[in-house]
Amino acid sequence: MAQTGLGLMSRRLVLASASAPLRSSILSNALNVREFCSASSESESVKFDIPVPFETHLCDPPEQSAVATKQEMLEYHRVMYGMRRMEISCDQEYKAKHIRGFCHLYDGQEAVAVGTQAALTNDDDWITTYRCHGAALVRGSTYQEIFEEQFGYKGGVVGGKGGSMHMYNKKTNFYGGAAIVGAQVPVGTGLAFFHKYKRQGEEKTPVSLAFYGDGSANQGQCWEAANMAALWKIPIIFVCENNMYGMGTSVDRSSANTEYYKQGNFIPGIKVDGMDVLAVREGVRFAKVN
């Protein structure tokens, strides 16, 4: 959902994962990277092109470029690299039977979590799927807490009681992962309704982000939540992390409409390259302020 000085609107953001756009991004920005590496200070800004075009529904696209400092880019890389190493270790510990129950990994989607958080503050609400390790990390949980949670230790994110799928951090308005497919979308809509309900006059309010995958895009509760969001004009961004498969079933076999950013009828949508951290940042930032 996006927020303006005149009112509140819902937004739908689809983040598609693919390897080809990532290679294209690297090649297209070679000169920008050279300029970035030669920057005289960490605070010096460099302009990067976003090579994969934004695709939109009922709205204008964001700018096809982004500005970032060396300090910002190094921090994005540090967090994404750490997130990948964390998930590889989780995979090893699960296969060694040290992590019991379920273990849903986020490797390959790091740019989504990091780029999204870069466009937000911790005043904005975040609720996501059971694939929640990455979101928990960018919302303030430590590696130690995330591992202890999966091992069932009391030092875990929620005292070892939630495991891989149920991490939560009220201090940073992270409302965790939901084990039921699509269940987090109406809850996120309720969080956004709270912000609209508490709004005074024309003051700016935080927004709520409800993440879901392509596998839950056709859930009835998602459509009901979208209808209420559009009807009541509440401050929510619906974020579909489209990794092309839901539990092994391809989007072409499960969905009549695979252009998920066009779902929701009256809700504007943006399709973003989910492999490009700057594209994600700019897409979420655009959705939040327009």
Side-chain angles (χ1 to χ4, degrees), residues 11 13 21 32 41 44 94 99 123 126 131 150 153 169 182-184 191 210-211 233-234 241 259 274 289-290:
R11 294 283 184 186
L13 201 66
N32 306 76
S41 70
E44 183 178 340
Y94 183 72
I99 294 175
D123 290 330
W126 186 320
R131 202 175 301 279
Q150 295 178 85
Y153 295 166
N169 191 339
Q184 70 282 0
L191 292 169
F211 286 74
K233 296 182 170 30
I234 60 177
E241 295 185 79
E259 295 182 308
V289 302
N290 285 284

Side-chain angles (χ1 to χ4, degrees), residues 53 74 110 112 121 140-142 160-161 164 174 196 218-219 222 243 245 267 289:
L74 290 173
E110 297 88 355
V112 174
T121 72
S141 296
T142 65
K161 298 177 181 179
S164 171
F174 174 56
K196 177 180 172 64
N218 294 304
Q219 283 270 325
C222 296
N243 57 18
Y245 285 86
I267 299 178
V289 302

Side-chain angles (χ1 to χ4, degrees), residues 102-105 130-131 165 179 181 213-216 241 243-251 253-254:
F102 295 98
C103 182
H104 297 282
L105 303 176
Y130 48 69
R131 202 175 301 279
M165 299 191 291
V181 175
D214 50 281
S216 58
E241 295 185 79
N243 57 18
M244 313 300 177
Y245 285 86
M247 295 300 291
T249 302
S250 72
V251 295
R253 293 179 57 210
S254 64

Side-chain angles (χ1 to χ4, degrees), residues 86-87 90 93-94 98-104 130 132-134 136-137 141-169 174 176-177:
M86 175 183 74
E87 295 297 70
C90 288
E93 294 298 326
Y94 183 72
H98 296 148
I99 294 175
R100 299 303 182 109
F102 295 98
C103 182
H104 297 282
Y130 48 69
C132 62
H133 303 171
L137 184 67
S141 296
T142 65
Y143 297 114
Q144 180 81 14
E145 291 171 334
I146 292 171
F147 275 106
E148 288 202 33
E149 183 60 38
Q150 295 178 85
F151 292 144
Y153 295 166
K154 66 180 181 180
V157 177
V158 291
K161 298 177 181 179
S164 171
M165 299 191 291
H166 299 288
M167 299 186 185
Y168 175 88
N169 191 339
F174 174 56

